[in-house]
């Protein structure tokens, strides 16, 4: 293992791994321990008291972060010609259909979100092996398969994200940038956790929010007391 740099040593002393911080404390601390030269992403990991193997405990949903993610989200709108102008005016980076389907078939996936229409989903099915592993397959539950294409594109651009519990019971999401004011990080995390609470399965027993951790790119995680998030 390589030696820690001077910055890394200084950062290591700022986080008490045995302590549960309040969300307010963590939102400030995550900025202090970020030493990257670029504007690092701030991410949250939430451990849920669910069994993802059970269909009735699969937690999935969408949330509109009040301050966005800070990322320039690249959106591809796979739409018929009559919806192209609507998608373009809403800010979609790429708009089209057959040409982009062919590009995806050949391995192109240089986008963050794909928005499409119900009538197009049949053409996307065969591309599941390309889009699925990258989390790019549009889904009605996340609002990315809709006739309101313009609205969907606008919401994604403004900071609407979708999330899904992984096989270990964790939710991972980007909730901002290190350049954000602490209060904006705090409010984005609170919005996500509030949404997760609303989605608590009736069959989930015991503690639901079992752990929350906040980190930035290449930083260590800061454990948050779930009771401090409201």
């Amino acid at each position: 293992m390589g030696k820690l740099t001077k910055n890394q040593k200084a950062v290591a002393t700022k986080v008490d791994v045995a302590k549960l911080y309040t969300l307010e404390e963590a939102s400030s601390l995550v900025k202090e321990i970020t030493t990257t030269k670029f504007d690092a992403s701030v991410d949250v990991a939430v451990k849920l008291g669910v069994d993802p193997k059970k269909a009735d405990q699969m937690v999935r949903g969408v949330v509109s972060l009040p301050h966005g993610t800070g990322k320039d989200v690249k959106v591809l709108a796979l739409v018929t010609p009559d919806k192209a102008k609507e998608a373009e005016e809403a800010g979609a980076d790429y708009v089209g259909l057959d040409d982009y389907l062919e590009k995806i078939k050949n391995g192109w996936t240089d986008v963050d979100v794909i928005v499409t229409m119900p009538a197009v989903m049949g053409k996307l099915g065969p591309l599941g092996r390309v889009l699925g592993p990258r989390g790019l397959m549009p889904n009605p539950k996340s609002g990315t398969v809709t006739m309101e294409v313009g609205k969907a594109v606008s919401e994604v651009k403004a900071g609407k994200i979708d999330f899904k519990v992984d096989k270990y019971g964790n939710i991972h999401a980007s909730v901002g940038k290190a350049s954000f004011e602490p209060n904006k990080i705090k409010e984005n995390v609170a919005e996500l956790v509030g949404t997760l609470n609303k989605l608590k399965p009736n069959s989930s027993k015991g503690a639901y929010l079992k752990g929350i951790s906040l980190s930035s790119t290449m930083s260590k995680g800061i454990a948050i007391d779930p009771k401090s998030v409201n």
Side-chain angles (χ1 to χ4, degrees):
M1 184 175 177
K3 291 183 178 179
L4 294 177
T5 65
K6 186 176 180 180
N7 274 344
Q8 288 172 328
K9 287 179 181 178
V11 163
T13 64
K14 290 185 177 181
V15 180
D16 182 350
V17 296
K19 177 180 177 179
L20 284 179
Y21 292 84
T22 65
L23 174 55
E24 188 168 0
E25 291 171 333
S27 298
S28 294
L29 186 56
V30 75
K31 291 171 62 67
E32 293 180 32
I33 66 172
T34 300
T35 59
T36 54
K37 293 181 180 179
F38 56 89
D39 192 7
S41 292
V42 175
D43 306 305
V44 67
V46 183
K47 176 69 174 177
L48 297 178
V50 297
D51 182 356
K53 294 178 183 177
K54 297 180 179 178
D56 61 351
Q57 292 191 33
M58 174 56 70
V59 178
R60 179 175 191 164
V62 296
V63 60
S64 292
L65 301 177
H67 305 291
T69 62
K71 294 180 179 179
D72 180 17
V73 182
K74 291 183 184 177
V75 179
L76 164 62
L78 291 174
V79 295
T80 50
D82 58 305
K83 284 285 186 177
K85 185 177 180 181
E86 180 183 336
E88 289 170 355
E89 291 180 346
D93 300 272
Y94 307 101
V95 180
L97 187 53
D98 292 335
D99 287 352
Y100 284 105
L101 290 173
E102 188 62 28
K103 287 183 69 173
I104 293 170
K105 183 179 178 181
N106 292 326
W108 180 79
T109 56
D110 189 24
V111 293
D112 300 302
V113 176
I114 296 177
V115 172
T116 192
M117 308 156 55
V120 176
M121 281 304 289
K123 293 187 175 184
L124 274 175
L127 299 176
R129 58 184 176 77
V130 178
L131 300 177
R134 294 167 178 79
L136 290 174
M137 180 60 81
N139 189 296
K141 291 183 179 179
S142 65
T144 49
V145 180
T146 175
M147 287 303 294
E148 295 184 279
V149 173
K151 179 183 177 183
V153 171
S154 296
E155 289 178 341
V156 169
K157 283 286 191 177
K160 182 179 179 179
I161 61 172
D162 65 312
F163 53 83
K164 180 181 178 182
V165 68
D166 65 19
K167 62 182 180 180
Y168 302 108
N170 299 310
I171 295 282
H172 296 277
S174 179
V175 290
K177 292 282 191 175
S179 60
F180 278 25
E181 291 298 317
N183 200 51
K184 289 186 176 181
I185 296 173
K186 173 187 172 184
E187 290 177 0
N188 276 357
V189 174
E191 188 71 22
L192 171 64
V193 174
T195 300
L196 289 174
N197 273 324
K198 292 175 184 176
L199 294 172
K200 179 183 179 181
N202 292 329
S203 57
S204 173
K205 305 300 180 184
Y208 177 57
L209 295 177
K210 300 185 76 172
I212 303 174
S213 178
L214 194 65
S215 64
S216 67
T217 308
M218 296 171 66
S219 87
K220 65 168 60 180
I222 304 168
I224 297 174
D225 182 355
K227 295 176 183 176
S228 72
V229 186
N230 51 51

